[in-house]
Amino acid sequence: MRQGRLQEGLRKPASRGVVGRGRVSRREVSSFSFYSSSSRSTRVRALAEEASKVGGSGSDDEILAKALQRGEPCSFDREDIVHESSSPDLPSWTQNDTSYLKQILCARVYDVAEETDLQRADTLSTKLKNTIFLKREDQQQVFSFKLRGAFNKMANLTSEQLERGVICSSAGNHAQGVALSALRLGCKATICMPLITPDIKVDAVKRLGGNVKLVGENYDECQAYAIKTAEEEGLSYIHPFDDPFVIAGQGTVGVEILRQCSIDFVNQDQDLDAIFVPVGGGGLLAGIASFVKQVRPDIKVYGVEPLGAACMTEALMRGGICTLNQVDAFADGVAVKTAGTETFRLISKFCDGIITVTTEEICAAIKDVFKDTRSILEPAGAVSVAGLKSYCRLYGVKDKVFVAVTSGANMNFDRLRLVSDIANFGAKTEVMLATSIPEKPGEFKRFVDVLVGDEKISVTEFKYRYAMNESRMAYILFSVEVDEDTKQKESLLARLSNAGMDTIDLSHIEAAQRHLRHLVGGRARSFTGAIPDERILEVTFPERPGALGKFLSELAPEWNVTLFHYRQTGNLETNLLIGIQIADSQFGSFQEAMEKLDYRAEEIDSTAMDAFGMFLY
């Protein structure tokens, strides 16, 4: 879907049952693709940079991209929000929003949950020139806030319901919360998890006594199975976010924040200015916002979502709940396609806006929190910190007090490699560049002299190969450390340009960070340049045994593979870089094969392809 159409959703909120200009049900938008691919993210980043250069003028695309990328909370008109009818199963007290105050204050969470620390982040505070506190929900027994809502919901079930047992669908944190709650309440818990769930999370649920059922290729299939089983077997389905008692349980985080701030600020001329909360389906944000904005309306409450999984942002901007066609699963704890009905209602009434952040920004936030706490957050747990940093950069605020909820630390160890690779790019302390120079004696030394310059820039990555081509141009891939505050990157790019050395900035192209840096030095064994009909694609598929073989089996013998790069990430999904000879007449058949597999295949965008072409041919 084009970004221009999305902007229309912002300017003209959808009427009931309509998304944007097309007559499409808010929950039937499978033909649209909202921020779901690396190429779209790259395009939005490029637009964001251009929008910032023109000072906010330009097309709707540029203005929207600037808002999404520079930390500006989404804008929405509360009066134009369309809410779906309340479920008849909701408790009667939900008709009065002030009742949430009582429910949150009386929530049954401390039989299992702990009051977590509100920890000052000294290094981050100094860096941002504001006082930053971290609400350490990653300290909970299951390393996530999720057990608060799960236990409160289950503690409000009748004894007959508990005796029959409960069931839930979750890929991780909610599953552990339900399993631990069932253990404490003495009831049976069936935990449905997708087949692609990492073993570390499956084992954690089993240790807590949960009966794990691995079902479905993705979360949607897993959830459908759990709901159907609940109906057939008379089990109580424990929703991960869209339930009033779950919301009230999560809202206790807001109670603790206000109380802890009051204690910390005694006899000090300080007050809390804003709270930043991660958003998936919206349970945590709905609970915190419902309490804080009714008790302290002067305090801002912002949600933060990954750019590739911004279901709540879309819903608020469009005026009604919509379903994302696909989501980026990097921050799997908040990778939700459809916002909850009750969470959306509360967030649209009490929240001050949602900020979207990129994968690079999330990785940089994980590193920031590690510096202050020596704890390693999962990507979803660091989303709020990334949003807080982006907000501070955009508005240039100083001497304010902000709280970011660090919501979880169930990090798969294998993912640390990818996070570490990307973190410095997200923090803008390292840049990856590709430069072309004439292939002749002495030119390489001249390049190094220009690169280092008087600033003595530190080179962190350097890849070069002698060029045997008609242009007699050599291509160099390298990374350097830079100081964002002193505009070192801009100065470096200017030096290279003035020296006649054409340079591409790859720092915000995820495909380059994942793959290109590992491919440099390898070329097609051909003197003819480009390989006929070759297409370079990124394919996303579930990271589980057999997935790769299944993919390759579908390709053979129809298409010839010309390039292949795979690196395990430890994520729910992984990205494969592949070159395939596909004639234009065959591309439709290839797309059908990918749809049959339910894998996402997308050609590398033109900017990335310009850089890839330097090193592949």
Side-chain angles (χ1 to χ4, degrees), residues 525-537:
R525 295 175 181 174
S526 169
F527 293 97
T528 60
I531 299 173
D533 295 326
E534 185 185 52
R535 298 171 187 261
I536 308 299
L537 305 103

PDB file of all heavy atoms in Angstrom, residues 525-537:
ATOM      1  N   ARG A 525      31.406 -15.719 -11.333  1.00  0.00           N
ATOM      2  CA  ARG A 525      32.538 -16.160 -12.162  1.00  0.00           C
ATOM      3  C   ARG A 525      32.210 -15.933 -13.637  1.00  0.00           C
ATOM      4  O   ARG A 525      31.962 -16.855 -14.401  1.00  0.00           O
ATOM      5  CB  ARG A 525      32.846 -17.623 -11.886  1.00  0.00           C
ATOM      6  CG  ARG A 525      33.324 -17.849 -10.453  1.00  0.00           C
ATOM      7  CD  ARG A 525      33.522 -19.310 -10.153  1.00  0.00           C
ATOM      8  NE  ARG A 525      33.960 -19.508  -8.771  1.00  0.00           N
ATOM      9  CZ  ARG A 525      34.099 -20.697  -8.213  1.00  0.00           C
ATOM     10  NH1 ARG A 525      33.840 -21.781  -8.902  1.00  0.00           N
ATOM     11  NH2 ARG A 525      34.500 -20.801  -6.957  1.00  0.00           N
ATOM     12  N   SER A 526      32.161 -14.684 -13.986  1.00  0.00           N
ATOM     13  CA  SER A 526      31.789 -14.309 -15.339  1.00  0.00           C
ATOM     14  C   SER A 526      32.430 -12.982 -15.668  1.00  0.00           C
ATOM     15  O   SER A 526      32.561 -12.114 -14.802  1.00  0.00           O
ATOM     16  CB  SER A 526      30.263 -14.199 -15.466  1.00  0.00           C
ATOM     17  OG  SER A 526      29.903 -13.611 -16.688  1.00  0.00           O
ATOM     18  N   PHE A 527      32.853 -12.824 -16.893  1.00  0.00           N
ATOM     19  CA  PHE A 527      33.420 -11.552 -17.329  1.00  0.00           C
ATOM     20  C   PHE A 527      32.388 -10.733 -18.090  1.00  0.00           C
ATOM     21  O   PHE A 527      32.715  -9.705 -18.688  1.00  0.00           O
ATOM     22  CB  PHE A 527      34.660 -11.794 -18.213  1.00  0.00           C
ATOM     23  CG  PHE A 527      35.807 -12.402 -17.461  1.00  0.00           C
ATOM     24  CD1 PHE A 527      36.027 -13.771 -17.498  1.00  0.00           C
ATOM     25  CD2 PHE A 527      36.649 -11.611 -16.711  1.00  0.00           C
ATOM     26  CE1 PHE A 527      37.073 -14.343 -16.794  1.00  0.00           C
ATOM     27  CE2 PHE A 527      37.707 -12.173 -16.013  1.00  0.00           C
ATOM     28  CZ  PHE A 527      37.927 -13.552 -16.045  1.00  0.00           C
ATOM     29  N   THR A 528      31.159 -11.208 -18.079  1.00  0.00           N
ATOM     30  CA  THR A 528      30.118 -10.506 -18.828  1.00  0.00           C
ATOM     31  C   THR A 528      29.353  -9.520 -17.961  1.00  0.00           C
ATOM     32  O   THR A 528      28.423  -8.886 -18.421  1.00  0.00           O
ATOM     33  CB  THR A 528      29.130 -11.526 -19.420  1.00  0.00           C
ATOM     34  OG1 THR A 528      28.526 -12.263 -18.342  1.00  0.00           O
ATOM     35  CG2 THR A 528      29.841 -12.490 -20.351  1.00  0.00           C
ATOM     36  N   GLY A 529      29.740  -9.397 -16.687  1.00  0.00           N
ATOM     37  CA  GLY A 529      29.030  -8.475 -15.809  1.00  0.00           C
ATOM     38  C   GLY A 529      27.808  -9.138 -15.215  1.00  0.00           C
ATOM     39  O   GLY A 529      27.884 -10.235 -14.672  1.00  0.00           O
ATOM     40  N   ALA A 530      26.665  -8.475 -15.303  1.00  0.00           N
ATOM     41  CA  ALA A 530      25.438  -8.982 -14.695  1.00  0.00           C
ATOM     42  C   ALA A 530      25.032 -10.326 -15.294  1.00  0.00           C
ATOM     43  O   ALA A 530      25.230 -10.590 -16.476  1.00  0.00           O
ATOM     44  CB  ALA A 530      24.316  -7.967 -14.875  1.00  0.00           C
ATOM     45  N   ILE A 531      24.473 -11.193 -14.470  1.00  0.00           N
ATOM     46  CA  ILE A 531      24.002 -12.504 -14.911  1.00  0.00           C
ATOM     47  C   ILE A 531      22.614 -12.337 -15.518  1.00  0.00           C
ATOM     48  O   ILE A 531      21.741 -11.682 -14.929  1.00  0.00           O
ATOM     49  CB  ILE A 531      23.945 -13.473 -13.720  1.00  0.00           C
ATOM     50  CG1 ILE A 531      25.346 -13.632 -13.118  1.00  0.00           C
ATOM     51  CG2 ILE A 531      23.380 -14.817 -14.133  1.00  0.00           C
ATOM     52  CD1 ILE A 531      25.370 -14.426 -11.843  1.00  0.00           C
ATOM     53  N   PRO A 532      22.363 -12.904 -16.691  1.00  0.00           N
ATOM     54  CA  PRO A 532      21.058 -12.730 -17.340  1.00  0.00           C
ATOM     55  C   PRO A 532      19.896 -13.130 -16.440  1.00  0.00           C
ATOM     56  O   PRO A 532      19.924 -14.177 -15.793  1.00  0.00           O
ATOM     57  CB  PRO A 532      21.158 -13.654 -18.567  1.00  0.00           C
ATOM     58  CG  PRO A 532      22.618 -13.768 -18.831  1.00  0.00           C
ATOM     59  CD  PRO A 532      23.280 -13.721 -17.482  1.00  0.00           C
ATOM     60  N   ASP A 533      18.907 -12.272 -16.387  1.00  0.00           N
ATOM     61  CA  ASP A 533      17.653 -12.535 -15.654  1.00  0.00           C
ATOM     62  C   ASP A 533      17.852 -12.758 -14.156  1.00  0.00           C
ATOM     63  O   ASP A 533      16.966 -13.295 -13.484  1.00  0.00           O
ATOM     64  CB  ASP A 533      16.918 -13.748 -16.224  1.00  0.00           C
ATOM     65  CG  ASP A 533      16.434 -13.543 -17.641  1.00  0.00           C
ATOM     66  OD1 ASP A 533      16.063 -12.391 -17.984  1.00  0.00           O
ATOM     67  OD2 ASP A 533      16.436 -14.520 -18.409  1.00  0.00           O
ATOM     68  N   GLU A 534      18.979 -12.331 -13.596  1.00  0.00           N
ATOM     69  CA  GLU A 534      19.185 -12.527 -12.159  1.00  0.00           C
ATOM     70  C   GLU A 534      18.421 -11.489 -11.353  1.00  0.00           C
ATOM     71  O   GLU A 534      18.437 -10.307 -11.670  1.00  0.00           O
ATOM     72  CB  GLU A 534      20.659 -12.450 -11.787  1.00  0.00           C
ATOM     73  CG  GLU A 534      20.891 -12.766 -10.303  1.00  0.00           C
ATOM     74  CD  GLU A 534      22.336 -12.565  -9.878  1.00  0.00           C
ATOM     75  OE1 GLU A 534      22.877 -11.477 -10.137  1.00  0.00           O
ATOM     76  OE2 GLU A 534      22.911 -13.503  -9.298  1.00  0.00           O
ATOM     77  N   ARG A 535      17.764 -11.957 -10.340  1.00  0.00           N
ATOM     78  CA  ARG A 535      17.079 -11.081  -9.383  1.00  0.00           C
ATOM     79  C   ARG A 535      17.641 -11.375  -8.000  1.00  0.00           C
ATOM     80  O   ARG A 535      17.806 -12.536  -7.627  1.00  0.00           O
ATOM     81  CB  ARG A 535      15.564 -11.315  -9.376  1.00  0.00           C
ATOM     82  CG  ARG A 535      14.873 -11.026 -10.708  1.00  0.00           C
ATOM     83  CD  ARG A 535      13.424 -11.488 -10.672  1.00  0.00           C
ATOM     84  NE  ARG A 535      12.785 -11.384 -11.955  1.00  0.00           N
ATOM     85  CZ  ARG A 535      11.982 -10.377 -12.322  1.00  0.00           C
ATOM     86  NH1 ARG A 535      11.743  -9.394 -11.484  1.00  0.00           N
ATOM     87  NH2 ARG A 535      11.426 -10.364 -13.521  1.00  0.00           N
ATOM     88  N   ILE A 536      17.928 -10.307  -7.241  1.00  0.00           N
ATOM     89  CA  ILE A 536      18.414 -10.450  -5.870  1.00  0.00           C
ATOM     90  C   ILE A 536      17.247 -10.185  -4.941  1.00  0.00           C
ATOM     91  O   ILE A 536      16.649  -9.102  -4.975  1.00  0.00           O
ATOM     92  CB  ILE A 536      19.567  -9.472  -5.571  1.00  0.00           C
ATOM     93  CG1 ILE A 536      20.659  -9.589  -6.641  1.00  0.00           C
ATOM     94  CG2 ILE A 536      20.123  -9.737  -4.178  1.00  0.00           C
ATOM     95  CD1 ILE A 536      21.299 -10.951  -6.725  1.00  0.00           C
ATOM     96  N   LEU A 537      16.904 -11.181  -4.113  1.00  0.00           N
ATOM     97  CA  LEU A 537      15.734 -11.068  -3.245  1.00  0.00           C
ATOM     98  C   LEU A 537      16.102 -11.366  -1.801  1.00  0.00           C
ATOM     99  O   LEU A 537      17.053 -12.107  -1.528  1.00  0.00           O
ATOM    100  CB  LEU A 537      14.635 -12.044  -3.682  1.00  0.00           C
ATOM    101  CG  LEU A 537      14.154 -11.985  -5.133  1.00  0.00           C
ATOM    102  CD1 LEU A 537      14.766 -13.134  -5.924  1.00  0.00           C
ATOM    103  CD2 LEU A 537      12.642 -12.055  -5.201  1.00  0.00           C
TER     104      LEU A 537
END
